[in-house]
Amino acid sequence: MKEKKLETINNLFNDSNIRSAWDSTEEDYYFSVVDVIAALTDSSNPNDYWYRLKKRMKEDEKSELSTKCRKLKMVSSDGKKYLTDTLDTKGILRLIESVPSPKAEPFKLWLANLGNDRIDEVFNPEKAFSRAIDYYLNKGYSLEWIEKRLKGILSRKKLTNTWQEFGVDKPIEFAILTNDIYKEWSGMSASEYKDFKNIRKENLRDNMTDLEVLLTDIGETATRELVKTYKPHGLSENKKIAKKGGTIAKITKESLEKELGRSVITEDNTLSYEYIDDKKLGNKKGLK
């Protein structure tokens, strides 16, 4: 039985009630600003504290944090929904840095340590690999699985490098082509696949079965080799090739399912927790 809890930045606030909403389009959380301020300060009126802090930010021409807020309807203590100032994860971390409170110091130290670690990795990239391996080990993955996962990351990099050689170089274009591959063999885009598996910011491949990973690899590897052969240029031509690669994976999938007598696409994931909140935004329209 999986532990039913929502794992987000909330865990940093020692179980304080930080209201949040998930935006599936941006794949990020939006957090209640006043809840974060209440957790970080001893203010008896966090709304007033935020009002004064926001006013000071507006007077500072260099600060754009107050303009990054989005108003979302969130349930208040009286059970009713009110428009509430929210910030995404990056905004909340910037807010923490702006709060002059002793309670905020541990967070600031945590952020400073993260920054220091990333700078160290620039000089010694091996540390980034070690950190990734430790993360996977802590999540319960075996060394054999991790080895295959790292090879998969390299294979994915080969595909994006090949796309770049043929006129595709923007992250959004990589995402479009990847979705074309997924849709052809699985019938779902990457985001739809994640919804199907009930995951959010987690990596999709980390939550696939061996067969699902195999089909993903076949689709991407086939696409890479087809691009080298047909030499398409630009997004439009590469979309056609991506669909061909996905079709090859689809044929393999259908053959497997015929022999196994079952679907190889499963809702199973590797999470040790479940998302059970209903504070979910379907698209950007919900953020207005």
Side-chain angles (χ1 to χ4, degrees), residues 224-237:
R224 187 180 75 228
E225 295 305 312
L226 289 170
V227 168
K228 292 178 181 178
T229 299
Y230 288 98
K231 296 180 171 49
H233 185 78
L235 180 61
S236 179
E237 292 183 10

Side-chain angles (χ1 to χ4, degrees), residues 21 30 39 42 59 81 95 106-107 141 155 170 181 188 190 209 212 217 224 237 240-241:
Y30 281 80
D42 294 318
E59 294 172 351
K81 287 187 176 182
L95 174 67
F107 294 89
Y141 292 101
S155 179
K170 296 181 177 65
I181 297 172
M188 297 178 283
T209 64
E212 288 173 308
D217 289 342
R224 187 180 75 228
E237 292 183 10
K240 297 176 183 177
I241 301 302

Side-chain angles (χ1 to χ4, degrees), residues 180-181 184-185 219 223 241-251:
D180 284 338
I181 297 172
E184 283 302 308
W185 76 260
T223 298
I241 301 302
K243 290 180 179 179
K244 287 180 181 290
T247 298
I248 292 171
K250 180 181 179 181
I251 293 170

Side-chain angles (χ1 to χ4, degrees), residues 17 25 50 62 114-115 129 156 174 178 183 204 259 264:
N17 182 29
T25 301
W50 170 232
K62 296 181 180 179
L114 283 180
F129 283 104
R156 169 70 182 178
F174 293 156
T178 299
K183 284 180 180 178
L204 179 55
E259 292 295 325
V264 297

